[in-house]
Amino acid sequence: MATMITSECINCGACEPECPNTAIYQGAVEWQAPDGAMHPALSSEIFYIVPEKCTECVGFHDHEACAAVCPVDCCVPNPDIPETHDVLLARARQLHPEQTIADDAPSRFKKEGGEVTTPAAAPAAAPAPAAQPKAAPAPAAAPPAAAAAAEEFQSGLAIPPPEDWDVPIRCFRCQGEYAVPFPTYRAGTVFRCPHCLGSFVPTLSMVRAVADAIERFHEGWSAAFERFHDKRQRELAQFEERQRQDLARFAQQLHDIATRERAPGAPTKRRGFFSF
């Protein structure tokens, strides 16, 4: 079935350059048919997809490119326009007569290692609204006790603060990998692959998952360090107490050794009767 953009669209524009059929247009912009004819815009407020030009990326990708980069998941199948793999493949060939699109071209209807399957009709109910983007939760800072312990005792292994982490990204177009700073990894931000310049826009759920992972790791690491430091402090206190006791025993032992024998020339106490 053709893909549609729901009213949750935030007009980020990430989907438009990804469409291999130029089927996506900005709101209020006329769309152009393959024969060059211009037609009125299908939407005046948000981006829209022309059903006559949409192939759900059959012939080019094994997924819908617009849905892959949409930060709010508002590129969804249109339940009113169900279409099969064969129909979409034929449309792709019609839209791109200059290209040779093979029968085994990429298609989202293909399961890995399996045959092309025809999708079942979608329910008539409208898709559930996507969650509105909002700021991702900031990772929690290290507890004050752990921070103080870190200043007092420097371990051999340290981790960067949350804002210094880099988030790895794999380009769905060329499979190349690159990284972006965590503070810039926000829903709706468009990143460009340095290998093929393909766009990548993280969704709100992706940003939250990364932020939660960094927060949990820092909390776990800080808690482990604090437990280690507390144990070390207890062991150090016990060790110092044993050392004080050993010092006191040795001081007494040294005193006993030093006073056990009489030094030469020391006065002696006379025994017997004394006359006055």
Side-chain angles (χ1 to χ4, degrees):
M1 55 189 68
T3 305
M4 61 179 291
I5 297 177
T6 65
S7 58
E8 283 74 31
C9 175
I10 60 175
N11 284 316
C12 69
C15 58
E16 182 181 11
E18 301 301 324
C19 180
N21 306 312
T22 62
I24 302 178
Y25 293 83
Q26 189 173 2
V29 175
E30 294 182 336
W31 65 274
Q32 185 177 19
D35 59 3
M38 301 302 295
H39 298 272
L42 302 183
S43 173
S44 60
E45 297 179 355
I46 60 175
F47 279 79
Y48 65 90
I49 299 176
V50 178
E52 292 85 346
K53 299 177 69 176
C54 177
T55 65
E56 300 184 42
C57 292
V58 169
F60 299 93
H61 306 296
D62 60 359
H63 59 277
E64 294 175 278
C66 58
V69 300
C70 180
V72 292
D73 299 326
C74 67
C75 296
V76 298
N78 188 339
D80 297 328
I81 311 178
E83 294 178 308
T84 65
H85 163 84
D86 293 335
V87 170
L88 296 172
L89 183 62
R91 181 178 298 155
R93 289 169 174 166
Q94 181 182 5
L95 292 172
H96 303 274
E98 75 286 356
Q99 300 184 25
T100 301
I101 301 178
D103 292 338
D104 59 348
S107 169
R108 77 176 189 86
F109 296 101
K110 291 183 178 180
K111 295 181 179 179
E112 188 171 349
E115 298 295 331
V116 174
T117 57
T118 301
Q132 291 296 328
K134 54 185 178 181
E151 294 179 358
E152 180 182 350
F153 174 74
Q154 295 295 330
S155 66
L157 180 64
I159 60 172
E163 61 272 12
D164 287 350
W165 281 94
D166 287 336
V167 181
I169 294 176
R170 171 174 291 178
C171 178
F172 70 89
R173 173 181 291 175
C174 70
Q175 300 303 310
E177 295 187 358
Y178 58 101
V180 299
F182 172 68
T184 66
Y185 190 77
R186 293 294 180 264
T189 303
V190 181
F191 298 103
R192 291 289 176 181
C193 174
H195 310 291
C196 68
L197 298 182
S199 64
F200 172 85
V201 183
T203 64
L204 183 61
S205 60
M206 295 167 63
V207 172
R208 285 177 172 173
V210 169
D212 289 344
I214 293 178
E215 180 180 1
R216 287 195 301 270
F217 178 77
H218 273 263
E219 288 180 348
W221 191 93
S222 300
F225 181 86
E226 187 174 359
R227 289 193 299 271
F228 167 77
H229 181 263
D230 291 343
K231 180 181 178 181
R232 180 179 177 274
Q233 290 296 96
R234 291 193 301 271
E235 292 177 346
L236 180 60
Q238 295 171 359
F239 174 78
E240 290 177 347
E241 179 61 26
R242 289 195 299 269
Q243 292 299 92
R244 281 194 292 269
Q245 294 175 1
D246 289 344
L247 181 61
R249 283 194 294 268
F250 179 72
Q252 184 61 44
Q253 181 182 5
L254 187 61
H255 176 270
D256 294 342
I257 293 175
T259 59
R260 184 170 51 193
E261 298 184 8
R262 183 179 303 141
T268 58
K269 183 178 180 181
R270 295 182 179 182
R271 299 179 181 180
F273 297 96
F274 295 90
S275 60
F276 296 95

